[in-house]
Amino acid sequence: MTSGSTTRSAVASVGVSDRNASTVDTSTIVLGIETSCDETAAAVVMGGTDVLSSVVASQLDEHARFGGVVPEIASRAHLETLPQVVAEALERANIDVSRVDAVAATVGPGLVGALLVGVSAAKATALALDVPFVGVNHLEAHLYAALLDEPNARFPMLFVLVSGGHTLLVEMTGHDSYRVIGQTIDDAAGEAFDKVARFLGLSYPGGPAIDKAATRGKDTAIALPRAMLNDGLDVSFSGLKTAVINHVRANPHVSSDDVAASFQRAVVDVLVHKARRAASLIGANTIALGGGVAANSLLRSEMTKAGESDGIPVVLPSREMCTDNAAMIASAGWYRLRRGEVMGLDAGADPNLKLGAGQR
Ligand code: KG4
Ligand code: ZN
């Protein structure tokens, strides 16, 4: 771990900026900071979509032996790593910190201690640079990760957010206009991947491990349930996880690769089925995927195929933009800044922040 000296000197070397934040355009540069869970990230994005740098320091090794994220370890690691990550993001972007027009940070949802590290650092930097501080909803930012490569994707949009903590089907009719139309009633998709992987003795985090094992397995090997398939837009993955556990206990010599492939197929079948139904209900012109599970190979290919056959373009973020990063925070921050949605320096973090909740 590194000390905070690098960033302190970078910030201290800068005078007060006289840049006018009311003119937000393609040259406006936002420094983004993300610390909501176990990735310490900073990025510099110009004009909302031009990623000048994106640095992610993962704490995976620190949490792996516990099989999940330990909040106290996460906060401490953010504190130790963030200054260096911010300095590196500025260096890679090859800009002087005085070019930064606003600082955006995730204000929720997430682990409260972890969030506060990023929010405090962002507010201090904004104060030192005399630029606005923009609070960003982490869930909204996952959507902007999809829009980085497709900023002109057409509304109404169905946003399928599948991450470690959330599984949401969201109708988006414009920037900052969200309506949750479906969600998990129990486990999030990523949580189900992580729990099944852990049960199979695969590495942490489970999603990528299952994705890899599934390529060696047969996805029809085990009959697994597709819960609530024809029942509204909500989903449920807890019964699927239990079915996997029961099957493996009853068949201890079953191939883990077959289990991984069959499980992954069941999750993807449900997500694609529900996304198609939701897209048709809202008359979607675009389906956008976001969140860590959007990195899943089968989900990406099946959702793309479904979009092709339904005549709806499917927007997929690059794999590195699916999992937590700060480019998506800076991008979402730019759109908020453009609408004049800046926050005071008394703003705090909200670990339970909902999508579409007023942040102003
Ligand atoms: O969005 P994210 O980085 O963090 C949250 O905001 O939750 O998502 C992390 C989740 C984890 O559950 C991880 O297992 C899952 O995304 N994940 C995947 C894949 N890559 C990451 N799940 C399935 N297939 C993948 N390739
Ligand atoms: Zn996330």
Side-chain angles (χ1 to χ4, degrees):
M1 287 296 161
T2 50
S3 77
S5 57
T6 325
T7 292
R8 270 201 298 273
S9 59
V11 170
S13 68
V14 173
V16 171
S17 166
D18 59 358
R19 293 181 70 86
N20 183 356
S22 64
T23 51
V24 178
D25 57 25
T26 51
S27 70
T28 303
I29 291 184
V30 177
L31 168 66
I33 292 177
E34 155 64 32
T35 61
S36 68
C37 191
D38 59 345
E39 319 280 3
T40 313
V44 178
V45 175
M46 185 162 71
T49 51
D50 188 2
V51 181
L52 304 183
S53 68
S54 176
V55 178
V56 180
S58 174
Q59 304 172 4
L60 270 184
D61 294 347
E62 277 148 282
H63 300 285
R65 67 196 169 100
F66 300 103
V69 178
V70 182
E72 290 76 11
I73 294 178
S75 314
R76 175 168 288 272
H78 286 309
L79 206 55
E80 290 171 346
T81 316
L82 185 59
Q84 198 205 358
V85 168
V86 170
E88 203 175 321
L90 291 168
E91 197 183 313
R92 285 198 207 169
N94 202 18
I95 56 154
D96 187 82
V97 71
S98 61
R99 275 287 285 116
V100 169
D101 296 298
V103 185
T106 307
V107 292
L111 303 167
V112 68
L115 287 166
L116 282 171
V117 175
V119 170
S120 308
K123 289 194 297 188
T125 309
L127 181 67
L129 297 176
D130 192 24
V131 298
F133 164 66
V134 186
V136 169
N137 182 316
H138 182 86
L139 306 176
E140 173 178 290
H142 272 300
L143 170 76
Y144 281 94
L147 298 188
L148 277 175
D149 291 328
E150 303 278 349
N152 298 320
R154 286 168 56 225
F155 298 111
M157 202 176 288
L158 175 72
F159 173 33
V160 182
L161 173 59
V162 275
S163 69
H166 295 85
T167 297
L168 300 174
L169 294 179
V170 182
E171 176 188 25
M172 192 179 175
T173 46
H175 294 287
D176 200 26
S177 172
Y178 306 97
R179 188 166 66 101
V180 175
I181 55 175
Q183 58 193 309
T184 181
I185 60 162
D186 40 54
D187 291 351
E191 190 181 353
F193 269 94
D194 293 338
K195 286 177 176 169
V196 166
R198 192 172 178 178
F199 177 72
L200 294 176
L202 300 175
S203 57
Y204 169 83
I210 288 194
D211 200 342
K212 197 164 162 209
T215 60
R216 302 183 295 258
K218 199 163 163 240
D219 65 6
T220 50
I222 303 156
L224 293 170
R226 274 85 170 138
M228 302 172 70
L229 201 59
N230 296 309
D231 191 6
L233 295 176
D234 286 345
V235 297
S236 161
F237 294 118
S238 163
L240 172 61
K241 175 194 66 193
T242 307
V244 167
I245 292 171
N246 289 343
H247 183 89
V248 174
R249 288 202 172 127
N251 304 273
H253 300 298
V254 67
S255 143
S256 289
D257 294 344
D258 285 348
V259 177
S262 303
F263 163 77
Q264 178 178 271
R265 172 61 70 178
V267 174
V268 170
D269 278 357
V270 170
L271 290 175
V272 172
H273 185 88
K274 297 278 176 167
R276 288 179 99 159
R277 171 182 287 195
S280 141
L281 270 173
I282 65 166
N285 281 320
T286 309
I287 296 176
L289 250 59
V293 182
N296 184 265
S297 317
L298 187 69
L299 181 60
R300 294 171 81 85
S301 62
E302 290 298 316
M303 197 68 89
T304 304
K305 261 194 248 167
E308 276 164 11
S309 77
D310 294 349
I312 305 174
V314 174
V315 177
L316 299 172
S318 68
R319 278 196 165 79
E320 61 179 3
M321 288 295 147
C322 286
T323 46
D324 290 349
N325 65 83
M328 66 184 194
I329 307 302
S331 175
W334 182 87
Y335 285 91
R336 284 199 169 266
L337 186 68
R338 199 175 57 165
R339 297 194 298 269
E341 294 170 17
V342 300
M343 277 187 175
L345 293 181
D346 55 345
D350 180 353
N352 301 312
L353 189 64
K354 300 277 183 280
L355 193 62
Q359 283 185 243
R360 271 144 271 182

